[in-house]
Amino acid sequence: MSPQPGPVDFGRPPPSSLSNSGGGADEDDEASAHPHLLLYCFPRGGGSRSSFRDWEHPLQQRMCSKVSVRVISLPGRGARFQETPWDDWGLPDYDAGGNEDGTPPTNDGYRGKFITVLTQAFLMDWDGMTPYAFFGHSFGTLLAYELTLQLRRLNVRPLPLLNAVSAHRAPGISPELYGIP
């Protein structure tokens, strides 16, 4: 029997040299303690919290608001490289195209254990009141999307203000639509 994958959690990215220019660490800590917005980030496959280390301070300066960046931490990635990674994500085959209503295809075990663990980690981190948004990059877009669907199924309110994605096509859109083999 193979070892079980480690837990999933959310946390702040590592310190940035940018946080000491202008405002300073005290202001960053205050924003994190009482944020106006929580920005949950999901890095690329193999990515880690360090991918977003320079985001929090510039966002706070540009938005004139208290933004706290929270990044998913997965076993087998970044500082957790020695832990057993997840190898069964329980995600649908997005390359199979979509259903007539535009939703991705489903299969047995579609909503696997990973999505349950991810949802639990999010609900443990979120205070239930602070507005939040999701940002996913590449493989992280699928995690943010699946988490949003799961929160909707569980009737968690409010849902994210925004689910921003980069470097991945929309789930349920067949690659053939764009002439990609």
Side-chain angles (χ1 to χ4, degrees):
M1 184 170 155
S2 63
Q4 292 296 310
V8 173
D9 67 348
F10 288 92
R12 292 182 72 188
S16 166
S17 60
L18 299 177
S19 64
N20 293 327
S21 63
D26 292 341
E27 289 180 19
D28 290 346
D29 290 341
E30 169 63 19
S32 183
H34 304 288
H36 293 167
L37 176 72
L38 294 168
L39 178 60
Y40 286 91
C41 298
F42 301 82
R44 65 178 176 78
S48 67
R49 287 182 178 159
S50 64
S51 303
F52 299 96
R53 82 171 133 250
D54 294 333
W55 280 41
E56 193 165 66
H57 189 72
L59 283 171
Q60 291 171 5
Q61 288 183 324
R62 291 190 179 131
M63 296 176 67
C64 299
S65 183
K66 297 176 181 177
V67 178
S68 180
V69 175
R70 311 290 291 165
V71 184
I72 189 172
S73 176
L74 297 172
R77 313 286 195 281
R80 299 178 64 190
F81 183 76
Q82 298 298 324
E83 296 179 38
T84 302
W86 283 86
D87 60 2
D88 180 8
W89 299 96
L91 300 175
D93 181 2
Y94 289 104
D95 290 336
N99 296 322
E100 289 181 18
D101 65 358
T103 60
T106 59
N107 57 16
D108 292 339
Y110 172 29
R111 304 291 183 233
K113 182 178 178 185
F114 177 76
I115 295 302
T116 301
V117 170
L118 175 61
T119 303
Q120 290 169 346
F122 169 75
L123 292 174
M124 287 177 58
D125 188 79
W126 180 52
D127 63 13
M129 298 180 304
T130 305
Y132 65 97
F134 291 158
F135 172 77
H137 178 71
S138 191
F139 178 71
T141 64
L142 300 177
L143 300 182
Y145 174 77
E146 289 294 327
L147 178 56
T148 302
L149 291 180
Q150 182 73 351
L151 294 173
R152 189 172 87 184
R153 272 191 298 283
L154 295 173
N155 203 29
V156 172
R157 298 293 184 264
L159 289 172
L161 295 173
L162 175 70
N163 195 345
V165 300
S166 69
H168 200 284
R169 69 177 178 279
I173 302 294
S174 171
E176 289 79 25
L177 182 66
Y178 298 104
I180 301 170

